């Protein structure tokens, strides 16, 4: 095995690989996006249901404060469930495998879908709040396990493109919820329970179809030690018999980390050889969530209203924004292998930073200049474009790529926990920020985007078209450690990384 010399052609997309990608992304990632947006449009009708149920029980209308509290619980229990789901990632993927975890995860979708669907019939708003925690757990697991599964079944030349597919389905989920939430579809007083319950359909599809596809060959070979099944799985995924080179790369990785065993989160945090990788995924996930993307989505409607869009037209503008998000994520799928991960992250965070600054100015002068509201809408759309090509999809791809098999589950657990904690924090804190700072609250988000941009520029290196072992070697240099094959072995020479492999001089 020599660096840069491959006896196998660049792997092509095979039917098995495409279908495994689409089914796992539709069955799991789609639901994450759908449940982010599903409560936005029918919120007034759901609140009215809370109020009327309370009235039936106690004979008095619900106090405004109690209603606000219950509604904010209904919204914020979702990211809290996401955090719980993230904490379950490592034990589940190590025990059940990547595909097994995705199948198990459907419990956390089908059960709450039924609960939310019948909530109005049985006159219980508590059941909606509990169901939101459960679909949150589903989203927390799927947002981490789908990128991990796809990253491990993809050949290195397609890993970036297929790694963005989960994010694409998240945006399609958001758009679907926005479309169904239009008043004369399901976003009305009779349609909302069905709208909340539809989240179970992708789970049923995944439960029926995903068992027909292979488990991650890396999991089978490195963690299970099942050489025969791993070979068969890899042959099905690649569409040819000759998979020896890829298997030998996996065995080399297995040898080099045999000394480590499966890393727990605690041992992950204390590993000198993983210091920069860990810092990078924490910074990227914080940047992704604290850059204001959820604030933009949560409060887009009020920004559109203040921009003079008529109330009954706002829902269509929101759908338009969702469609832009989908289109730009599709663009990212096609350009990530050519442009690379690092460049897309830098462009994305740069655009978001500029859009937040402009949005602050536009909101400040909204009253005095008649054309300013249109600049506000343009800023939101530019922001969505920027976020969709870099900050939204790429952190998941990079998390899969910069960790090896033994540390990947624990790394996703850390990344997922940071992701959902920050998501929860923004949802909780932004209304108070908006009240206190008004338009200036977006300056904080632009500061976060700028800080993340600088970190990526200084530290994050390009990972496209490299094996997991080559990427490990690249970071080993940065962490000033040597990767050994096993106890007492010489450092690995097979995948030495030359200076041409490092994009960023400042990284050293």
């Amino acid at each position: 095995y020599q660096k840069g010399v491959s006896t196998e052609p660049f792997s092509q997309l095979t039917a098995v690989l495409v279908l495994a990608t689409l089914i796992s992304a539709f069955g799991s990632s789609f639901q994450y996006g759908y449940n982010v947006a599903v409560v936005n449009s029918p919120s007034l009708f759901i609140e009215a249901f809370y109020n009327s149920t309370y009235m039936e029980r106690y004979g008095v209308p619900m106090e405004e404060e109690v209603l606000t509290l219950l509604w904010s619980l209904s919204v914020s229990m979702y990211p809290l469930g996401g955090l719980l789901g993230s904490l379950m990632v490592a034990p589940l993927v190590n025990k059940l495998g990547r595909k097994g975890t995705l199948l198990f995860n459907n419990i956390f979708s089908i059960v709450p879908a039924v609960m939310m669907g019948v909530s109005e019939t049985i006159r219980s708003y508590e059941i909606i709040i509990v169901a939101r925690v459960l679909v949150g757990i589903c989203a927390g697991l799927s947002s981490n396990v789908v990128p991990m599964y796809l990253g491990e079944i993809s050949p290195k030349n397609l890993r970036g493109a297929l790694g963005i597919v989960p994010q694409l389905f998240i945006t399609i989920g958001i758009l679907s919820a926005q479309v169904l939430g239009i008043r004369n579809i399901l976003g009305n007083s009779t349609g909302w329970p069905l709208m909340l319950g539809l989240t179970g359909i992708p789970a049923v599809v995944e439960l029926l179809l995903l068992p027909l596809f292979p488990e991650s060959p890396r999991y089978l070979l490195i963690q299970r030690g099942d050489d025969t099944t791993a070979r068969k799985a890899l042959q099905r995924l690649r569409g040819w018999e000759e998979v020896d080179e890829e298997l030998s790369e996996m065995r080399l990785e297995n040898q080099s980390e045999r000394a480590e065993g499966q890393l727990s989160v605690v041992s992950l945090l204390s590993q000198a050889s993983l210091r920069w990788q860990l810092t990078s995924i924490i910074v990227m996930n914080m940047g992704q969530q604290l850059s204001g993307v959820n604030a933009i989505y949560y409060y887009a409607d009020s920004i559109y209203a203040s921009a003079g869009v008529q109330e009954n037209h706002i829902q269509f503008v929101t759908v338009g924004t969702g469609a832009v998000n989908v289109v730009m994520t599709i663009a990212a799928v096609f350009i990530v292998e050519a442009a690379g991960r690092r460049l897309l992250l830098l462009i994305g965070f740069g655009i978001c930073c500029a859009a937040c600054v402009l949005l602050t100015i536009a909101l400040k002068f909204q009253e005095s200049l008649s054309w300013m509201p249109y600049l506000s809408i343009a800023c939101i759309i530019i922001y969505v474009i920027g976020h969709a090509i870099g900050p939204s999809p790429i952190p998941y791809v990079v998390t899969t790529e910069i960790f090896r098999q033994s540390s990947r589950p624990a790394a996703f657990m850390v990344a997922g926990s940071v992701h959902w904690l920050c998501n929860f924090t923004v949802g909780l804190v932004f209304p108070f920020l908006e009240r206190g700072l008004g338009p200036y609250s977006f300056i904080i988000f632009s500061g976060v985007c700028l800080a993340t941009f600088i970190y990526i520029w200084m530290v994050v290196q390009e990972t496209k078209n490299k094996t997991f072992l080559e990427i490990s070697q690249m970071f080993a240099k940065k962490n000033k450690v040597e990767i050994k094959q096993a106890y007492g072995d010489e450092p690995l020479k097979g995948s030495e990384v030359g200076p041409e492999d490092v994009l960023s001089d400042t990284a050293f």
Side-chain angles (χ1 to χ4, degrees), residues 82 263 360 462-463:
L263 290 183
T360 307
E462 187 50 75
T463 54

Side-chain angles (χ1 to χ4, degrees), residues 39 47 50 65-81 125-126 128-133 424 427-428:
V39 291
E47 285 181 37
Y50 285 15
E65 293 80 17
V66 179
L67 182 58
T68 307
L69 175 69
L70 283 176
W71 179 248
S72 61
L73 274 176
S74 307
V75 175
S76 62
M77 282 298 119
Y78 181 65
L80 202 63
Y125 48 76
E126 295 87 350
I128 294 179
I129 295 169
V130 173
R132 289 285 289 171
V133 178
F424 180 69
L428 215 58

